[in-house]
Coordinates of all heavy atoms in Angstrom, one line a residue:
G1 N -10.6 -14.1 5.4 CA -10.3 -15.5 5.5 C -9.0 -15.8 6.2 O -8.1 -15.2 5.8
Y2 N -9.1 -16.7 7.1 CA -7.8 -17.3 7.7 C -7.9 -18.7 8.0 O -8.6 -19.1 8.9 CB -7.2 -16.5 8.9 CG -5.9 -17.0 9.4 CD1 -4.8 -16.6 8.8 CD2 -5.9 -18.0 10.4 CE1 -3.6 -17.1 9.2 CE2 -4.7 -18.5 10.9 CZ -3.5 -18.1 10.3 OH -2.3 -18.6 10.7
Y3 N -7.2 -19.6 7.2 CA -7.3 -21.0 7.4 C -6.0 -21.7 7.9 O -5.9 -22.9 7.9 CB -7.7 -21.7 6.1 CG -9.1 -21.3 5.6 CD1 -9.4 -20.1 5.1 CD2 -10.1 -22.1 5.6 CE1 -10.6 -19.6 4.7 CE2 -11.4 -21.9 5.1 CZ -11.6 -20.6 4.6 OH -12.9 -20.2 4.2
G4 N -5.1 -20.9 8.3 CA -3.8 -21.2 8.7 C -2.8 -20.9 7.7 O -3.1 -20.5 6.6
L5 N -1.5 -21.2 8.0 CA -0.4 -20.9 7.1 C -0.1 -22.1 6.3 O 0.0 -23.2 6.9 CB 0.8 -20.4 7.9 CG 0.7 -19.0 8.7 CD1 1.9 -18.7 9.3 CD2 0.3 -17.9 7.7
G6 N 0.1 -21.9 5.1 CA 0.3 -23.2 4.2 C -0.7 -23.5 3.3 O -1.9 -22.9 3.3
N7 N -0.5 -24.5 2.4 CA -1.5 -24.9 1.5 C -2.5 -25.8 2.1 O -2.5 -27.0 1.9 CB -0.7 -25.6 0.3 CG -1.6 -25.6 -1.0 OD1 -2.2 -24.6 -1.4 ND2 -1.6 -26.8 -1.6
T8 N -3.4 -25.1 2.9 CA -4.4 -26.0 3.7 C -5.5 -26.4 2.8 O -6.7 -26.2 3.1 CB -4.9 -25.0 4.8 OG1 -5.4 -23.8 4.2 CG2 -3.8 -24.6 5.7
V9 N -5.3 -27.3 2.0 CA -6.3 -28.0 1.1 C -7.3 -28.9 1.9 O -8.3 -29.2 1.4 CB -5.7 -28.7 -0.1 CG1 -5.0 -27.8 -1.0 CG2 -4.8 -29.8 0.4
D10 N -6.7 -29.3 3.1 CA -7.5 -30.2 3.8 C -8.3 -29.6 5.1 O -8.5 -30.2 6.1 CB -6.7 -31.4 4.3 CG -5.5 -30.9 5.2 OD1 -5.2 -29.6 5.2 OD2 -4.7 -31.8 5.7
A11 N -8.5 -28.3 4.9 CA -9.2 -27.6 6.0 C -10.5 -28.2 6.4 O -11.3 -28.6 5.5 CB -9.4 -26.1 5.6
D12 N -10.8 -28.4 7.7 CA -12.0 -29.1 8.1 C -13.1 -28.1 8.3 O -13.1 -27.4 9.3 CB -11.6 -29.8 9.4 CG -12.8 -30.7 9.9 OD1 -13.8 -30.6 9.3 OD2 -12.7 -31.3 10.9
R13 N -14.0 -27.9 7.4 CA -15.0 -27.0 7.4 C -16.0 -27.3 8.6 O -16.8 -26.4 9.0 CB -15.9 -26.9 6.1 CG -15.0 -26.7 4.8 CD -14.2 -25.4 5.0 NE -13.4 -25.2 3.8 CZ -13.8 -24.5 2.8 NH1 -15.0 -24.0 2.7 NH2 -12.9 -24.4 1.7
D14 N -16.0 -28.5 9.1 CA -16.9 -28.9 10.2 C -16.6 -28.1 11.5 O -17.3 -28.1 12.5 CB -16.9 -30.3 10.5 CG -17.5 -31.1 9.3 OD1 -18.4 -30.6 8.7 OD2 -17.2 -32.3 9.1
L15 N -15.3 -27.6 11.6 CA -14.9 -26.8 12.8 C -15.6 -25.5 13.0 O -15.7 -24.9 13.9 CB -13.4 -26.6 12.7 CG -12.6 -27.9 12.8 CD1 -11.0 -27.5 12.7 CD2 -12.7 -28.5 14.1
A16 N -16.2 -24.9 11.8 CA -17.1 -23.7 11.8 C -18.5 -24.1 12.3 O -19.3 -24.6 11.4 CB -17.1 -23.1 10.5
T17 N -18.7 -24.2 13.6 CA -20.0 -24.6 14.2 C -20.9 -23.4 14.6 O -20.4 -22.2 14.5 CB -19.8 -25.5 15.2 OG1 -19.1 -24.9 16.3 CG2 -18.9 -26.7 14.8
D18 N -22.0 -23.6 15.2 CA -22.9 -22.6 15.7 C -22.2 -22.0 16.9 O -22.3 -20.7 17.2 CB -24.2 -23.1 16.3 CG -25.1 -23.6 15.1 OD1 -24.8 -23.1 13.9 OD2 -26.0 -24.4 15.3
A19 N -21.3 -22.6 17.7 CA -20.6 -22.2 18.8 C -19.3 -21.3 18.3 O -18.8 -20.6 19.0 CB -20.1 -23.2 19.7
A20 N -18.9 -21.6 17.1 CA -17.7 -21.1 16.5 C -17.9 -20.7 15.1 O -17.3 -21.3 14.2 CB -16.4 -21.9 16.7
P21 N -18.8 -19.8 14.8 CA -19.2 -19.5 13.4 C -18.2 -18.8 12.6 O -18.2 -18.8 11.4 CB -20.5 -18.7 13.6 CG -20.3 -17.9 14.9 CD -19.7 -19.0 15.8
Y22 N -17.2 -18.2 13.3 CA -16.1 -17.4 12.6 C -14.8 -18.2 12.7 O -13.7 -17.6 12.8 CB -16.0 -16.1 13.1 CG -17.3 -15.4 13.2 CD1 -17.9 -15.0 14.5 CD2 -18.0 -15.0 12.1 CE1 -19.2 -14.5 14.6 CE2 -19.3 -14.3 12.2 CZ -19.7 -14.0 13.4 OH -21.0 -13.4 13.6
Y23 N -14.8 -19.5 12.7 CA -13.6 -20.3 13.0 C -12.5 -19.9 11.9 O -11.4 -19.9 12.2 CB -13.9 -21.8 12.9 CG -12.7 -22.5 13.4 CD1 -12.3 -22.7 14.7 CD2 -11.9 -23.1 12.4 CE1 -11.2 -23.5 15.2 CE2 -10.7 -23.9 12.8 CZ -10.4 -24.0 14.2 OH -9.3 -24.8 14.5
Y24 N -12.9 -19.8 10.7 CA -12.0 -19.5 9.6 C -12.1 -18.1 9.1 O -11.7 -17.8 8.0 CB -12.3 -20.5 8.5 CG -11.8 -21.9 8.7 CD1 -12.8 -22.9 8.6 CD2 -10.5 -22.2 9.0 CE1 -12.4 -24.3 8.8 CE2 -10.1 -23.5 9.2 CZ -11.0 -24.5 9.2 OH -10.6 -25.8 9.4
Q25 N -12.4 -17.1 10.1 CA -12.4 -15.7 9.7 C -11.5 -14.9 10.7 O -11.5 -15.4 11.9 CB -13.8 -15.2 9.7 CG -14.6 -15.8 8.5 CD -16.0 -15.3 8.5 OE1 -16.4 -14.4 9.2 NE2 -16.8 -15.8 7.5
V26 N -11.1 -13.8 10.3 CA -10.4 -13.0 11.2 C -10.7 -11.4 10.7 O -11.1 -11.2 9.6 CB -8.9 -13.1 11.0 CG1 -8.4 -12.8 9.6 CG2 -8.0 -12.3 12.0
R27 N -10.7 -10.5 11.7 CA -11.0 -9.1 11.5 C -9.6 -8.5 11.1 O -8.7 -8.5 11.8 CB -11.5 -8.4 12.6 CG -12.0 -7.0 12.4 CD -12.4 -6.3 13.7 NE -13.7 -6.8 14.1 CZ -13.9 -7.6 15.2 NH1 -12.8 -7.9 15.9 NH2 -15.1 -8.0 15.4
R28 N -9.5 -7.9 9.8 CA -8.4 -7.2 9.4 C -8.5 -5.8 9.2 O -9.4 -5.4 8.4 CB -8.0 -7.9 8.0 CG -6.8 -7.4 7.3 CD -6.8 -7.9 5.8 NE -5.5 -7.6 5.2 CZ -5.3 -7.7 3.9 NH1 -6.5 -7.9 3.1 NH2 -4.2 -7.6 3.3
R29 N -7.7 -5.1 9.9 CA -7.7 -3.6 9.7 C -6.3 -3.2 9.3 O -5.4 -3.6 9.9 CB -8.0 -2.9 11.0 CG -9.5 -3.0 11.5 CD -9.7 -2.6 12.9 NE -9.0 -3.4 13.8 CZ -9.5 -3.8 15.1 NH1 -10.7 -3.2 15.4 NH2 -8.8 -4.4 15.9
R30 N -6.4 -2.2 8.4 CA -5.0 -1.8 7.8 C -5.0 -0.4 7.3 O -6.1 0.1 6.8 CB -4.4 -2.7 6.8 CG -5.3 -2.8 5.5 CD -4.5 -3.7 4.5 NE -5.3 -3.8 3.3 CZ -4.7 -4.3 2.1 NH1 -3.5 -4.5 2.1 NH2 -5.5 -4.3 1.0
V31 N -4.0 0.3 7.4 CA -3.8 1.6 6.8 C -2.5 1.5 5.8 O -1.5 1.0 6.3 CB -3.5 2.7 7.8 CG1 -3.1 4.0 7.1 CG2 -4.5 2.9 8.8
L32 N -2.7 1.8 4.6 CA -1.7 1.4 3.6 C -1.5 2.7 2.7 O -2.5 3.4 2.3 CB -2.3 0.2 2.7 CG -1.6 0.0 1.3 CD1 -0.2 -0.5 1.6 CD2 -2.4 -1.0 0.5
G33 N -0.2 2.9 2.3 CA 0.0 4.0 1.4 C 1.1 3.4 0.4 O 2.0 2.7 0.8
Y34 N 1.1 3.8 -0.8 CA 2.1 3.4 -1.7 C 2.2 4.3 -2.8 O 1.2 5.0 -3.2 CB 2.0 2.0 -2.2 CG 0.8 1.6 -3.2 CD1 0.9 2.0 -4.5 CD2 -0.4 1.1 -2.7 CE1 -0.2 1.7 -5.3 CE2 -1.4 0.8 -3.5 CZ -1.3 1.2 -4.8 OH -2.4 0.8 -5.6
A35 N 3.4 4.5 -3.5 CA 3.6 5.3 -4.8 C 4.4 4.4 -5.6 O 5.5 3.8 -5.3 CB 4.2 6.6 -4.4
D36 N 4.1 4.4 -7.0 CA 4.8 3.8 -8.0 C 5.1 4.7 -9.1 O 4.3 5.2 -9.8 CB 3.9 2.5 -8.6 CG 4.6 1.5 -9.4 OD1 5.4 2.0 -10.3 OD2 4.5 0.4 -9.2
V37 N 6.5 4.8 -9.2 CA 7.0 5.7 -10.4 C 7.6 4.8 -11.5 O 8.4 4.0 -11.1 CB 8.0 6.7 -9.9 CG1 8.6 7.6 -11.0 CG2 7.5 7.6 -8.7
T38 N 7.2 5.0 -12.7 CA 7.6 4.2 -13.8 C 8.3 5.2 -14.9 O 7.9 6.1 -15.2 CB 6.5 3.5 -14.5 OG1 5.7 2.8 -13.5 CG2 6.9 2.6 -15.6
R39 N 9.5 4.6 -15.3 CA 10.4 5.3 -16.3 C 10.4 4.5 -17.6 O 10.9 3.3 -17.5 CB 11.7 5.6 -15.8 CG 12.7 6.1 -16.8 CD 12.3 7.5 -17.5 NE 13.2 8.0 -18.4 CZ 13.0 9.0 -19.3 NH1 11.8 9.6 -19.2 NH2 14.0 9.3 -20.0
H40 N 10.1 5.0 -18.8 CA 10.2 4.3 -19.9 C 11.6 4.2 -20.2 O 12.4 5.1 -20.2 CB 9.4 5.1 -21.1 CG 9.6 4.5 -22.4 ND1 10.3 5.0 -23.4 CD2 9.2 3.3 -22.9 CE1 10.4 4.2 -24.5 NE2 9.6 3.2 -24.2
L41 N 12.0 2.9 -20.7 CA 13.4 2.6 -21.1 C 13.7 2.6 -22.6 O 14.4 3.4 -23.1 CB 13.9 1.3 -20.4 CG 13.9 1.3 -18.9 CD1 14.3 -0.1 -18.4 CD2 14.8 2.3 -18.3
S42 N 13.0 1.7 -23.2 CA 13.1 1.5 -24.7 C 12.0 0.6 -25.2 O 11.7 -0.4 -24.5 CB 14.5 0.9 -24.9 OG 14.6 0.7 -26.4
G43 N 11.3 1.1 -26.3 CA 10.3 0.2 -26.9 C 9.3 0.0 -25.9 O 8.7 0.9 -25.3
P44 N 8.9 -1.3 -25.7 CA 7.8 -1.6 -24.7 C 8.3 -1.8 -23.3 O 7.5 -2.2 -22.4 CB 7.2 -2.9 -25.3 CG 8.4 -3.5 -25.9 CD 9.3 -2.3 -26.5
L45 N 9.6 -1.5 -23.1 CA 10.2 -1.9 -21.7 C 10.3 -0.7 -20.8 O 10.7 0.4 -21.3 CB 11.6 -2.5 -21.9 CG 12.3 -3.0 -20.7 CD1 11.5 -4.2 -20.1 CD2 13.7 -3.4 -21.0
S46 N 9.8 -0.8 -19.6 CA 10.0 0.2 -18.6 C 10.5 -0.3 -17.2 O 10.4 -1.5 -17.0 CB 8.6 0.9 -18.3 OG 8.1 1.5 -19.5
A47 N 11.1 0.6 -16.5 CA 11.3 0.2 -15.1 C 10.5 0.9 -14.0 O 10.1 2.1 -14.3 CB 12.8 0.6 -14.8

């Protein structure tokens, strides 16, 4: 979904018509990698 940037609570759904059926959609492709290392500090607290 892509409805614009911001709190678009007033998005006009009528703009998605037969001629523009994907008006509020976008193709998203991504390659992602991450690593998360956690160290216990004290009691229930970790970094």
Side-chain angles (χ1 to χ4, degrees):
Y2 180 78
Y3 293 73
L5 298 178
N7 201 47
T8 53
V9 294
D10 56 349
D12 186 357
R13 305 303 178 90
D14 292 337
L15 294 176
T17 64
D18 291 341
Y22 310 112
Y23 187 81
Y24 286 120
Q25 293 182 2
V26 63
R27 184 182 293 109
R28 180 195 192 194
R29 291 172 290 217
R30 63 174 179 163
V31 177
L32 165 68
Y34 67 83
D36 190 314
V37 179
T38 304
R39 171 61 179 170
H40 175 251
L41 298 178
S42 178
L45 187 64
S46 299

